[in-house]
Amino acid sequence: MSMKQSKMHDFKSLDNLRTWLERRQFGYLFFAECFLLKPTAAWADHYQGQPYLKALCDVDNMPKSYAAIHTMLNTMTTSTKEAEQQADLFEKLYDSPFEDAAPPWASVYIGEGDTLMNAITLSVLESYHASGYHYRFDQNRPCDHIGLELLFMSQLGHDAITAASKADFDLLYDLLEEQKRFITAHLDIFAEAFAKRTAEAADGAFYAVIAALMAKFVIHDRHRIDEQLRFDELAMQCKEIVAEPQVLKIKSALSERVDKGIVVPFDGIARFTVYHQSEATASEKETVVVAGINNCGGACSLNVDIQLGKVLNIAPNEALSATHTKACVRGNAYRNSFLNHKRLKYPMLRVGDRGDGNYKRITWDEATALIAEKMTAIKEKYGAESRYVNYATGVSALMRGNALAKRLLILDGGCLNYHNSYSTACIAGATPYTFGNKLSGHSPDDYMHSKLIILWGHNPAATIFGHESMVMLQAAKAKGTKIIVVDPRMTETAVALADEWVPIKPTTDGALIDAMAYTMIEAGLHDQAFLDRYCIGFDASHMPKGAENAENYRDYLFGVYDGQRKTPAWASAITGLDADMIYQLAMAYAKAKPAALIQGYGPQRNANGEQIVRGCNMLACLTGNVGKSGGSSGGGLYLRYNLPIMMPDVENPVKESIPCFLWTDAIERAQDMTAASDGVMGAQQLKAPIKMIFNLAGNVLINQHSDINRTIKLLKDPTKVEFIVCSDLFMTPSTRFADIILPGTSMFEGENIRAPWGGGNYLLYVNQCIDPLFECRFEYDWLSDVAERLGLKDAFTLGAANMTEQLRRAYDVLREKESELPPFDDFRRKGGYVYQNVKHVVAYREQIESFEAHPFETPSGKIELYSPRLDVGGDVPAIPKYTPAFEGPEDPLAEKYPFQLVGWHSKRRTHSTHDHNEWLDGVEDQQLWIHPEDAKQLQIGENEMVEVYNDRGCINVPVYVTKRIARGVVGMSQGGWYRPDSQGTDRRGAMNVLTTSRPTPLVKGNPQHSNLVAIRRSGTRA
């Protein structure tokens, strides 16, 4: 008899031993089913009255738990409604993406936290495999689910009963020891933390009792196993040495089971089939090259370490490029952001009012059938132009949901088009009035040739306009280039690079521009020869025929029309800048040759954004820097390389197009929207309001659009928009207003191709690392199913078998234009390509160097500082003069709301992407920046909670008192997820509660930096 056998003789009989083992096995199985299966009346009836169930509670302070469980089981057995309520609670607690869920995965509570499919998950899986167990699931659940871990313990318990029945005490000892090891390594801390989270979420409900009992049971079982495995010193010395490795002994005993699965008491658990697999499972680590696909200005290439389908680590892909494609803090947080337990897991259909967050789970077949049905019904009732794909998406890659949905709708008869963008409406729309096209920027490598660089509202340290931008600015500064930043806030770029910060008030850029121009002209430092040769409209001598008596820019500056010279003193009163600072800035820009004025996208997102764009263009002309290396045109858009095209264009039968910022207007007042009043293109007037919206991988439906409360009011009324489809990774503020929610895939779960903003000097491939989690699907896949239901699948997919073939086709088309690119398979394997023959872009160089052969693309062929196209009596003057903005410092509304509110892109988020990732909270707090003098006037201090409000809404946010923001200006980073309290006050700092939905006057663009607000201490509202 072995020492193990002698120890087991502590039981008075083999029956006692078997009874103990059966109770343990029953306990683990019962708890496994509790957390793997939604309860039903049949399930409750099966366990009602089970003698071993009561035995589970006969330790410590558990007897009270039995009474609660017995009562609930009895209630569910006799009441179908109660069983359904408990099933709903199960789904809400353990399957839903809502904040009050209790995630059932060990990796959320242990180690890195919040991240699924990581090293913790791998460790659990290896424990299963080491004991010879493998699981097949009905959906791709991470295997460290509390239910699966308990099921594993139940299976080991089942084997222990078999071993005891055969009197194989050596095997029994090893099985108990394996269970103890698994409890210690995985279940112990996890079970207790999970029970606590369940109690917080359910607050005394049935599952709180079950979870607490389970945690106590696990701890009690570990202690009991310890007692059965304890030896005295002599016994340990005499313990037999086992020749075979423990794992092989267990696997040998299990080999009798073959692949038939284990029969368990309740049939519902059978969907989690457990089977024995004798073959060794490969577990070698491999590295897969991926790329970030967020709508970020950069595109980082990353090496992802994978083992058994688990993501262990991400690191820069330095083999591709050590500098240009290196990840920022957001890129390094991709695992925490996208493999997060808050993921949407399966399709859901709204069952309550929009915005209330009440949904029921449905199948993919039900979802695609309903979408196809609604597409058809709405088209037949209102016309194809009533269907709309919302503009924004968080996927900045070749294959993206919004473009795919638009393709399908066009094939099905069409949809309402949009033009412009939230990002660059004014810079893209106004620049052509001056130069004839919008590509007015130089490639970043040209910064090295500048003597002076003015970054006008440009913050590449946070927004990352391609990885080259900051790298080249740093190199230029190291070479001796002076850098000046014009911005209401001392940005990260200003802190890192600026020799001087110009803290201008928002919307007043035009006044600063005018004063700089006046100063240069008065000092005789402007390039009159350049203006004479290439421009019209600067002075009376260079006005186009028929406009001789119209305003010219020089006479405007010197007060010919209004009696006001646009001096630095005049601009000082408007901008809040010292007159001498304005003078010195003008002189520095005029004297440095060449000098680059690089316009960011922030200033043009103001109520007078078009004029700011045109004013910066004018300054570049005034100094003769246009078309010259080291200079600039005062613009910001450029394209260095051709970009891949997703699929061949399909002509939309619907010709009407709206400015994308006005989609809420197209819901509310479509009958009033015309080409003249609202920038409608393709028709004089809209035919129908928007009745169906596809909002795929985007948060513009609510969070990123202006005047959130107005938008909510519109969307909550189902008689206006009748059907909304959202596809996303998480339950964002936007998905809460969907009628049907579909779970998408992350960068780790699919393939794609990515380029940085502006084309950059590299192209990246996104390789798939892991299978899609849960029931998640990429938009291409389920849209293909919808297309099939509509009889359009071949036309939609072009016959491609899978995503790889789609990407290969698009890449090969691009390679015909960019012959330097390697073959597709090489490109895919290496994760991308960095161009070797780098294209140096200088905007309008061709026109300046050979003007007669290559005129500008304007009607006159010249740079139009005066635009006849704008001299039509509209809100935008024909010359680029300063125009006071609505909700700017000169608006009478400033008496009621005295502070200008400005937003910015945070290094903590990409737009609103990553806001759910608590790991990034320490990178940048969501705070209201305010100048010390303004804080003193309001008698508020550092970190004090304040309410920021206007007629549109109110947010509650802590204060950050700093000299890094202009007087009279307050600001916060945009993108915080809208989280209102019971009074409707936002608690996250979602600044679009306060922003205006009134568009800019010319291109009907986004004015989200023009907002007047007031501030008060929290809790002092009358």
Side-chain angles (χ1 to χ4, degrees):
M1 183 183 296
S2 72
M3 292 305 299
K4 299 175 190 177
Q5 290 171 322
S6 67
K7 182 61 186 174
M8 293 308 169
H9 280 191
D10 284 354
F11 287 96
K12 293 181 179 179
S13 69
L14 187 59
D15 286 341
N16 285 350
L17 171 60
R18 186 182 178 91
T19 298
W20 174 64
L21 293 172
E22 286 177 348
R23 286 179 178 177
R24 295 179 60 255
Q25 195 269 343
F26 172 87
Y28 281 114
L29 181 59
F30 170 69
F31 290 125
E33 291 192 358
C34 283
F35 301 120
L36 283 173
L37 301 174
K38 288 196 292 186
T40 63
W43 176 84
D45 184 60
H46 172 79
Y47 280 106
Q48 180 69 8
Q50 287 275 1
Y52 280 159
L53 182 58
K54 187 175 189 307
L56 292 181
C57 306
D58 290 341
V59 290
D60 297 332
N61 294 316
M62 298 184 191
K64 293 180 181 178
S65 300
Y66 176 71
I69 294 170
H70 176 79
T71 300
M72 183 55 69
L73 292 175
N74 185 58
T75 304
M76 282 191 281
T77 301
T78 58
S79 170
T80 303
K81 182 178 180 181
E82 185 63 42
E84 290 175 352
Q85 288 176 346
Q86 291 304 316
D88 290 343
L89 176 60
F90 172 91
E91 198 165 270
K92 178 181 178 183
L93 283 174
Y94 304 129
D95 275 344
S96 82
F98 292 101
E99 294 292 329
D100 55 356
W105 296 282
S107 55
V108 177
Y109 302 92
I110 303 171
E112 302 161 25
D114 284 350
T115 309
L116 303 175
M117 305 295 277
N118 63 12
I120 299 295
T121 320
L122 176 64
S123 177
V124 172
L125 183 63
E126 288 178 330
S127 292
Y128 297 162
H129 288 183
S131 295
Y133 287 106
H134 296 255
Y135 292 85
R136 294 188 181 115
F137 316 129
D138 64 339
Q139 54 180 273
N140 193 13
R141 292 174 180 263
C143 67
D144 56 333
H145 188 285
I146 185 73
L148 293 178
E149 292 194 10
L150 292 165
L151 182 60
F152 173 61
M153 290 291 290
S154 175
Q155 305 298 350
L156 292 179
H158 179 278
D159 295 336
I161 294 169
T162 303
S165 299
K166 295 179 179 181
D168 188 346
F169 295 113
D170 282 353
L171 177 58
L172 175 57
Y173 179 93
D174 287 335
L175 286 164
L176 290 174
E177 196 164 67
E178 172 62 16
Q179 286 186 297
K180 175 192 169 185
R181 187 202 66 76
F182 189 80
I183 292 173
T184 303
H186 301 291
L187 262 177
D188 204 341
I189 299 174
F190 174 27
E192 190 172 1
F194 169 74
K196 181 179 179 183
R197 186 72 169 264
T198 299
E200 292 171 350
D203 192 23
F206 173 61
Y207 281 102
V209 176
I210 291 288
L213 178 61
M214 179 273 299
K216 288 185 178 181
F217 173 80
V218 167
I219 295 171
H220 176 81
D221 190 52
R222 186 196 66 194
H223 292 321
R224 188 69 190 275
I225 294 174
D226 271 344
E227 292 174 3
Q228 300 308 322
L229 298 180
R230 193 174 297 122
F231 297 97
D232 59 28
E233 186 175 349
L234 178 62
M236 289 298 293
Q237 291 174 359
C238 298
K239 185 175 184 295
E240 295 178 347
I241 299 174
V242 180
E244 293 180 275
Q246 177 179 316
V247 168
L248 293 180
K249 289 185 65 181
I250 297 175
K251 284 190 174 182
S252 176
L254 297 179
S255 62
E256 302 171 9
R257 268 196 258 112
V258 296
D259 285 357
K260 295 181 179 178
I262 293 179
V263 178
V264 294
F266 187 68
D267 291 341
I269 204 76
R271 68 184 181 133
F272 299 94
T273 304
V274 183
Y275 65 98
H276 173 64
Q277 179 175 315
S278 57
E279 297 83 6
T281 302
S283 62
E284 292 79 11
K285 185 168 65 175
E286 60 176 320
T287 299
V288 179
V289 184
V290 303
I293 59 173
N294 295 162
N295 186 15
C296 173
C300 49
S301 182
L302 301 165
N303 287 332
V304 180
D305 293 334
I306 304 294
Q307 190 170 359
L308 290 176
K310 311 301 175 283
V311 179
L312 305 184
N313 186 51
I314 60 174
N317 176 23
E318 296 190 359
L320 188 65
S321 173
T323 302
H324 290 172
T325 62
K326 189 174 181 180
C328 69
V329 65
R330 299 187 293 264
N332 289 318
Y334 281 152
R335 277 195 309 161
N336 304 73
S337 288
F338 302 134
L339 301 180
N340 190 287
H341 70 85
K342 298 174 186 175
R343 285 278 295 267
L344 293 166
K345 300 172 180 65
Y346 42 75
M348 296 190 292
L349 181 68
R350 177 174 64 84
V351 293
D353 292 335
R354 283 191 189 142
D356 290 352
N358 295 317
Y359 292 88
K360 70 174 183 179
R361 182 175 182 174
I362 60 174
T363 66
W364 274 106
D365 280 346
E366 290 172 319
T368 55
L370 182 59
I371 292 169
E373 175 190 327
K374 292 291 186 180
M375 283 175 60
T376 300
I378 289 173
K379 178 180 67 173
E380 291 176 352
K381 185 175 182 180
Y382 301 104
E385 56 272 11
S386 68
R387 305 183 301 182
Y388 184 69
V389 179
N390 219 357
Y391 139 84
T393 176
V395 176
S396 184
L398 176 62
M399 303 295 285
R400 55 193 186 276
N402 61 340
L404 289 163
K406 186 173 181 181
R407 176 182 177 83
L408 178 57
L409 286 169
I410 289 173
L411 291 170
D412 185 49
C415 60
L416 181 63
N417 295 294
Y418 62 75
H419 52 273
N420 292 348
S421 73
Y422 280 47
S423 298
T424 62
C426 288
I427 200 168
T431 301
Y433 283 94
T434 303
F435 294 116
N437 66 40
K438 65 183 180 181
L439 296 178
S440 58
H442 295 201
S443 55
D445 57 312
D446 194 57
Y447 301 164
M448 295 296 292
H449 304 288
S450 302
K451 300 297 183 182
L452 169 70
I453 295 175
I454 299 176
L455 301 176
W456 203 296
H458 189 43
N459 184 23
T463 51
I464 311 178
F465 278 68
H467 286 275
E468 288 180 283
S469 292
M470 200 62 183
V471 171
M472 291 302 176
L473 285 170
Q474 290 168 330
K477 184 174 178 63
K479 190 179 178 181
T481 301
K482 183 177 181 179
I483 297 177
I484 298 173
V485 171
V486 179
D487 202 291
R489 182 178 71 106
M490 182 182 281
T491 63
E492 294 86 350
T493 303
V495 170
L497 298 176
D499 295 283
E500 185 177 353
W501 168 48
V502 180
I504 191 172
K505 288 183 178 181
T507 77
T508 68
D509 307 72
L512 173 59
I513 290 165
D514 288 346
M516 289 175 64
Y518 176 91
T519 299
M520 287 187 278
I521 295 168
E522 188 178 50
L525 295 176
H526 62 298
D527 192 334
Q528 186 67 48
F530 181 94
L531 295 165
D532 291 345
R533 176 169 173 74
Y534 298 106
C535 303
I536 64 169
F538 172 69
D539 54 32
S541 300
H542 297 86
M543 296 296 287
K545 186 176 181 179
E548 292 84 356
N549 296 322
E551 279 189 322
N552 67 77
Y553 188 66
R554 182 186 179 113
D555 286 348
Y556 155 74
L557 291 178
F558 283 83
V560 171
Y561 308 114
D562 58 6
Q564 174 63 63
R565 288 175 176 258
K566 309 309 181 290
T567 65
W570 165 82
S572 176
I574 299 170
T575 63
L577 300 173
D578 184 79
D580 185 61
M581 174 180 279
I582 297 172
Y583 176 83
Q584 295 298 335
L585 176 62
M587 299 302 283
Y589 183 47
K591 292 179 179 179
K593 301 292 183 181
L597 192 163
I598 302 165
Q599 187 180 168
Y601 298 165
Q604 53 96 49
R605 286 197 285 266
N606 272 307
N608 54 2
E610 294 96 345
Q611 288 299 85
I612 294 172
V613 170
R614 298 177 68 218
C616 288
N617 296 159
M618 182 280 306
L619 281 181
C621 296
L622 197 66
T623 54
N625 279 298
V626 176
K628 297 179 180 177
S629 183
S632 78
S633 66
L637 295 173
Y638 73 96
L639 185 63
R640 175 175 278 174
Y641 292 96
N642 292 296
L643 297 174
I645 298 172
M646 184 181 75
M647 291 180 181
D649 286 340
V650 182
E651 185 177 356
N652 191 347
V654 175
K655 302 307 176 186
E656 293 96 322
S657 178
I658 60 171
C660 64
F661 187 68
L662 296 187
W663 65 272
T664 47
D665 290 63
I667 296 171
E668 188 175 34
R669 55 177 194 89
Q671 69 279 4
D672 300 325
M673 293 182 68
T674 67
S677 64
D678 299 285
V680 172
M681 293 183 178
Q684 290 302 310
Q685 189 170 4
L686 291 187
K687 295 177 183 176
I690 292 173
K691 290 294 183 179
M692 182 179 192
I693 296 176
F694 282 86
N695 187 84
L696 307 186
N699 206 2
V700 165
L701 193 67
I702 292 292
N703 208 81
Q704 298 302 100
H705 187 63
S706 286
D707 200 349
I708 284 176
N709 287 320
R710 171 184 178 246
T711 307
I712 287 174
K713 184 177 179 181
L714 286 172
L715 296 184
K716 283 186 78 71
D717 184 352
T719 66
K720 294 187 181 297
V721 181
E722 294 186 3
F723 198 67
I724 300 173
V725 180
C726 281
S727 174
D728 216 307
L729 299 182
F730 302 99
M731 184 63 78
T732 67
S734 291
T735 54
R736 286 179 178 270
F737 285 81
D739 295 298
I740 194 166
I741 299 175
L742 304 174
T745 54
S746 73
M747 56 182 278
F748 298 106
E749 299 157 71
E751 295 180 84
N752 225 315
I753 293 175
R754 172 75 208 271
W757 287 356
N761 68 339
Y762 58 95
L763 193 65
L764 302 179
Y765 195 85
V766 184
N767 286 284
Q768 184 171 346
C769 298
I770 61 175
D771 292 334
L773 288 172
F774 308 105
E775 294 183 15
C776 299
R777 300 178 73 190
F778 181 52
E779 286 86 355
Y780 175 82
D781 297 325
W782 61 261
L783 283 167
S784 297
D785 289 350
V786 175
E788 186 170 22
R789 291 182 181 276
L790 297 170
L792 297 168
K793 185 171 183 178
D794 287 343
F796 178 73
T797 65
L798 299 177
N802 51 45
M803 182 61 68
T804 304
E805 291 308 307
Q806 290 286 12
L807 295 172
R808 183 188 296 274
R809 175 198 49 75
Y811 181 83
D812 287 344
V813 170
L814 174 65
R815 197 163 170 245
E816 293 175 4
K817 301 177 182 177
E818 301 286 355
S819 58
E820 183 185 338
L821 290 169
F824 176 78
D825 290 333
D826 291 344
F827 170 71
R828 183 186 183 199
R829 184 182 68 257
K830 294 179 181 178
Y833 180 75
V834 178
Y835 287 92
Q836 303 302 302
N837 301 316
V838 179
K839 297 178 182 178
H840 181 68
V841 176
V842 175
Y844 310 123
R845 171 183 274 172
E846 194 174 49
Q847 286 87 342
I848 298 303
E849 292 182 352
S850 53
F851 180 52
E852 287 75 16
H854 300 284
F856 287 88
E857 297 173 35
T858 58
S860 67
K862 290 191 172 187
I863 300 170
E864 296 188 351
L865 300 181
Y866 162 87
S867 173
R869 290 174 289 172
L870 293 176
D871 201 355
V872 291
D875 294 329
V876 178
I879 58 173
K881 66 180 182 180
Y882 169 64
T883 55
F886 58 81
E887 299 211 30
E890 297 176 79
D891 191 322
L893 190 63
E895 292 185 14
K896 182 178 181 181
Y897 299 117
F899 289 96
Q900 289 182 272
L901 173 68
V902 65
W904 55 82
H905 287 67
S906 166
K907 57 182 178 289
R908 184 245 184 272
R909 288 183 292 267
T910 301
H911 300 289
S912 70
T913 302
H914 303 291
D915 192 59
H916 69 285
N917 183 353
E918 296 176 3
W919 186 81
L920 283 168
D921 280 347
V923 173
E924 180 177 319
D925 294 328
Q926 191 69 5
Q927 299 170 314
L928 183 77
W929 287 36
I930 188 169
H931 192 277
E933 293 301 317
D934 293 326
K936 182 179 179 181
Q937 181 181 345
L938 292 170
Q939 297 183 330
I940 56 176
E942 183 77 7
N943 291 322
E944 188 168 352
M945 297 299 296
V946 298
E947 291 179 347
V948 189
Y949 65 97
N950 57 23
D951 290 340
R952 292 181 287 271
C954 179
I955 64 174
N956 191 284
V957 67
V959 161
Y960 173 52
V961 181
T962 177
K963 291 183 178 180
R964 287 177 55 193
I965 195 163
R967 285 290 313 272
V969 181
V970 294
M972 68 182 71
S973 58
Q974 61 87 41
W977 285 10
Y978 172 64
R979 294 174 184 169
D981 61 17
S982 59
Q983 304 300 312
T985 297
D986 173 69
R987 297 281 173 174
R988 179 61 179 171
M991 69 169 292
N992 281 324
V993 169
L994 304 169
T995 56
T996 179
S997 58
R998 178 180 173 182
T1000 63
L1002 177 61
V1003 302
K1004 311 304 177 186
N1006 166 10
Q1008 285 171 298
H1009 296 324
S1010 294
N1011 314 283
L1012 291 174
V1013 299
I1015 301 167
R1016 62 189 169 219
R1017 280 198 183 93
S1018 295
T1020 60
R1021 188 186 313 188

